[in-house]
Amino acid sequence: MGRTEGYPHTLTERYGHVKYKHNRSIHKKYTMIPEPETMVSQEKFDEMVRELENLKTVRRTEIAKNLEYARSLGDLSENAEYQEARDLQAATEERIRKLEELVKRAKIVTDGKKKDIVGFGSVVHIKKEGSAETHEYTIVGSEEADMRERKLSHVSPLGAAIMGKKKGDVFTFETPNGKQTYSIEKVV
């Protein structure tokens, strides 16, 4: 069987990660990318800690009781209540794991911002070029972002574009509909 032109011939060519050969087995070496810090306000940090504590104490106990009751109903293979309790347990444990990771990586950002420059915690009024309508957003961390409440993540395309700007600045950022140009009307 001959080699095919342009076909990757080695595992490294094929999969692109570094390999070490040792005792006739191949070991992969992956470079771990450190998780970035999660910037949050003190209020959001406290909320995450409260939720984590509630999940670990109250919610785990409730789920354990539900599992015990469902087990008492008999055959687990056809027991919908047992399966539902297991699914709820898995979802709760995943949320606990996520919250623990977020709390561990959290960087609490205090209100040390300059009043006239857009930063974390700033309330910004912006206006789209060619429009008379202004929009108000509060710049927050990615965990706090909620467009229904007009809370904009500092790492979102719009949030990143306005960070460090001041009243009167005009900025452009990329959207799925093309480039958009806005001006900053007010920074609080």
Side-chain angles (χ1 to χ4, degrees):
M1 188 169 167
R3 290 184 154 206
T4 307
E5 192 64 37
Y7 182 77
H9 303 290
T10 65
L11 290 174
T12 304
E13 289 173 344
R14 199 173 287 156
Y15 299 110
H17 38 287
V18 179
K19 307 226 182 289
Y20 295 99
K21 194 163 186 152
H22 178 68
N23 293 337
R24 297 185 186 190
S25 64
I26 296 176
H27 300 280
K28 297 177 187 175
K29 176 188 170 192
Y30 295 97
T31 304
M32 296 299 292
I33 299 170
E35 291 288 329
E37 291 179 329
T38 303
M39 295 175 64
V40 295
S41 64
Q42 183 66 52
E43 295 82 26
K44 182 63 177 179
F45 181 80
D46 293 343
E47 179 187 320
M48 289 189 308
V49 169
R50 280 192 306 273
E51 181 184 356
L52 180 59
E53 190 61 33
N54 182 32
L55 289 172
K56 283 181 162 183
T57 56
V58 177
R59 194 70 182 132
R60 272 184 174 163
T61 304
E62 290 172 355
I63 292 170
K65 287 178 184 176
N66 289 346
L67 279 169
E68 179 122 4
Y69 171 73
R71 276 192 202 109
S72 72
L73 297 176
D75 185 14
L76 299 181
S77 64
E78 295 182 15
N79 188 334
E81 287 185 25
Y82 177 76
Q83 189 58 46
E84 185 178 325
R86 289 295 307 237
D87 291 345
L88 185 58
Q89 181 185 37
T92 301
E93 292 302 321
E94 177 60 25
R95 181 66 181 155
I96 288 170
R97 187 199 60 71
K98 182 179 180 187
L99 282 171
E100 285 175 337
E101 189 63 29
L102 287 171
V103 167
K104 184 171 80 176
R105 291 185 293 116
K107 178 181 180 194
I108 299 170
V109 180
T110 58
D111 190 20
K113 62 182 173 47
K114 297 177 182 174
K115 291 291 181 196
D116 58 338
I117 297 176
V118 178
F120 195 86
S122 295
V123 177
V124 185
H125 297 259
I126 62 173
K127 183 168 69 172
K128 186 175 182 179
E129 185 178 68
S131 172
E133 186 179 352
T134 62
H135 301 279
E136 177 185 308
Y137 297 103
T138 302
I139 307 300
V140 296
S142 56
E143 285 301 311
E144 296 177 78
D146 185 350
M147 288 306 288
R148 291 179 303 248
E149 295 180 21
R150 311 302 260 165
K151 292 184 175 182
L152 185 64
S153 169
H154 70 291
V155 293
S156 69
L158 176 56
I162 63 178
M163 291 293 283
K165 303 283 191 290
K166 57 185 182 224
K167 180 181 177 180
D169 285 355
V170 176
F171 63 94
T172 302
F173 70 102
E174 193 70 39
T175 70
N177 294 332
K179 290 186 177 187
Q180 302 288 321
T181 302
Y182 283 81
S183 63
I184 297 179
E185 302 297 308
K186 184 175 165 185
V187 179
V188 182

